């Protein structure tokens, strides 16, 4: 039937785009790691994940966390949705600044999806735009969060911080951490994100694990990146050959 064919095509598109995002993350990062206790999100309840926005890859990283490790369908509002339509099957919805009608449609669609599939997780960047990594948490309007809370009144609110760093590797390491979900916006969202970001600034590698301010901390690898050329094999066997041309 037509509907089943459309469903097959949609699944194929989702797999293809998901594969592209996975490849992009593996090529861009040495690893992606969760720091701290593993999140326990409320079952059968929608979640609004709010996070800092300090790198181009933040949306990719949150998508990977939600879909590959927490088994939660993601939603995110994108101003540039029409310029990157392939992301639509992965949960993006249009939110253009110059089109109030389409923004209203997106709000209605968000509420519908979160009612239909309670495990759906909407993720927001309350700062509104990408900021320099060392600039800290930027200001944001708590009134905007209150409007989202009215849209999905039964959602849990979950703060998550992201930070990119380098640990003697050929590419950056992406760190993520989060706090306990809370019932509704209460005005402390920015201090929560600031505290989480400070936690990530204090993370250091020790063996296969990490410490925070010198104290061993729980962590989990969410994705291993592609190995550097020197890690893929011992190139010293080429030395005798190369000597002839040096």
């Amino acid at each position: 039937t037509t509907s089943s064919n459309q469903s097959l095509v949609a699944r194929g598109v989702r797999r293809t785009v998901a594969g592209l995002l996975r490849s992009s993350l593996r090529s861009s990062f040495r690893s992606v790691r969760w720091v701290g206790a593993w999140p326990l999100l409320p079952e059968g309840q929608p979640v609004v994940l709010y996070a800092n926005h300090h790198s181009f890859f933040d949306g990719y990283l949150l998508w990977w966390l939600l879909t590959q490790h927490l088994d939660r369908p993601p939603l995110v509002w994108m101003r540039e949705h029409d310029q990157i339509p392939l992301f639509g099957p992965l949960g993006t919805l249009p939110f253009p600044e110059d089109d109030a009608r389409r923004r209203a449609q997106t709000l209605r669609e968000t509420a519908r999806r979160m009612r239909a599939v309670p495990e759906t997780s909407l993720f927001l960047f309350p700062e509104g735009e990408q900021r320099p990594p060392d600039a800290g948490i930027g200001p944001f309007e708590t009134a905007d969060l209150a409007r989202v809370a009215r849209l999905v009144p039964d959602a849990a609110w979950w703060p998550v911080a992201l930070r990119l760093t380098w640990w003697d590797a050929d590419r950056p390491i992406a760190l993520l951490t989060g706090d306990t979900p809370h019932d509704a916006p209460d005005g402390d969202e920015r201090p929560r994100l600031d505290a989480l970001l400070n936690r990530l600034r204090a993370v250091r590698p020790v063996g296969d694990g990490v410490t925070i301010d010198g104290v061993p901390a729980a962590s989990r690898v969410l994705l291993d990146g592609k190995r550097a050329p020197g890690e893929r094999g011992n190139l010293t066997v080429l030395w005798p050959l190369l000597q002839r041309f040096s």
Side-chain angles (χ1 to χ4, degrees), residues 127-237:
E127 293 167 292
E129 60 184 2
Q130 184 179 322
R131 290 169 49 81
D134 296 328
I137 303 297
F140 53 83
E141 292 293 333
T142 54
D144 293 339
L145 301 184
R147 282 190 283 272
V148 176
R150 290 193 293 271
L151 183 70
V152 281
D154 57 339
W157 287 68
W158 184 32
V160 173
L162 309 98
R163 183 169 186 263
L164 308 188
T165 188
W166 294 79
W167 289 346
D168 191 26
D170 61 317
R171 281 157 295 151
I173 291 88
L175 302 177
L176 295 85
T177 192
D179 204 348
T180 304
H182 53 99
D183 291 336
D186 56 11
D188 286 335
E189 286 70 36
R190 187 179 175 193
R192 286 190 184 96
L193 289 182
D194 195 44
L196 291 173
L197 192 56
N198 284 334
R199 178 193 298 176
L200 292 182
R201 289 193 182 104
V203 173
R204 298 292 182 272
V206 175
D208 293 331
V210 302
T211 64
I212 299 178
D213 288 327
V215 179
S219 68
R220 178 186 295 200
V221 174
L222 305 181
L223 179 70
D224 266 324
K226 294 178 180 177
R227 292 183 295 172
E231 298 176 296
R232 297 173 194 166
N234 187 345
L235 301 183
T236 58
V237 295

Side-chain angles (χ1 to χ4, degrees), residues 53-212:
H53 190 18
H54 293 172
S55 87
F56 168 82
F57 289 98
D58 292 337
Y60 291 15
L61 293 165
L62 293 178
W63 172 85
W64 184 262
L65 171 68
L66 288 170
T67 62
Q68 305 300 308
H69 292 275
L70 296 175
D71 195 25
R72 281 186 166 257
L75 277 180
V76 61
W77 302 336
M78 285 186 64
R79 294 183 212 168
E80 306 83 6
H81 179 273
D82 292 349
Q83 283 74 50
I84 318 175
L86 276 177
F87 286 171
L90 299 185
T92 63
L93 293 172
F95 210 76
E97 288 183 307
D98 58 352
D99 194 333
R101 181 185 61 83
R102 291 188 74 193
R103 293 199 303 271
Q105 289 176 338
T106 285
L107 295 178
R108 291 192 294 271
E109 178 64 10
T110 297
R112 185 194 70 77
R113 291 193 191 186
M114 296 183 86
R115 285 194 303 268
V117 184
E119 291 77 17
T120 298
S121 297
L122 170 68
F123 60 87
L124 305 175
F125 298 115
E127 293 167 292
E129 60 184 2
Q130 184 179 322
R131 290 169 49 81
D134 296 328
I137 303 297
F140 53 83
E141 292 293 333
T142 54
D144 293 339
L145 301 184
R147 282 190 283 272
V148 176
R150 290 193 293 271
L151 183 70
V152 281
D154 57 339
W157 287 68
W158 184 32
V160 173
L162 309 98
R163 183 169 186 263
L164 308 188
T165 188
W166 294 79
W167 289 346
D168 191 26
D170 61 317
R171 281 157 295 151
I173 291 88
L175 302 177
L176 295 85
T177 192
D179 204 348
T180 304
H182 53 99
D183 291 336
D186 56 11
D188 286 335
E189 286 70 36
R190 187 179 175 193
R192 286 190 184 96
L193 289 182
D194 195 44
L196 291 173
L197 192 56
N198 284 334
R199 178 193 298 176
L200 292 182
R201 289 193 182 104
V203 173
R204 298 292 182 272
V206 175
D208 293 331
V210 302
T211 64
I212 299 178

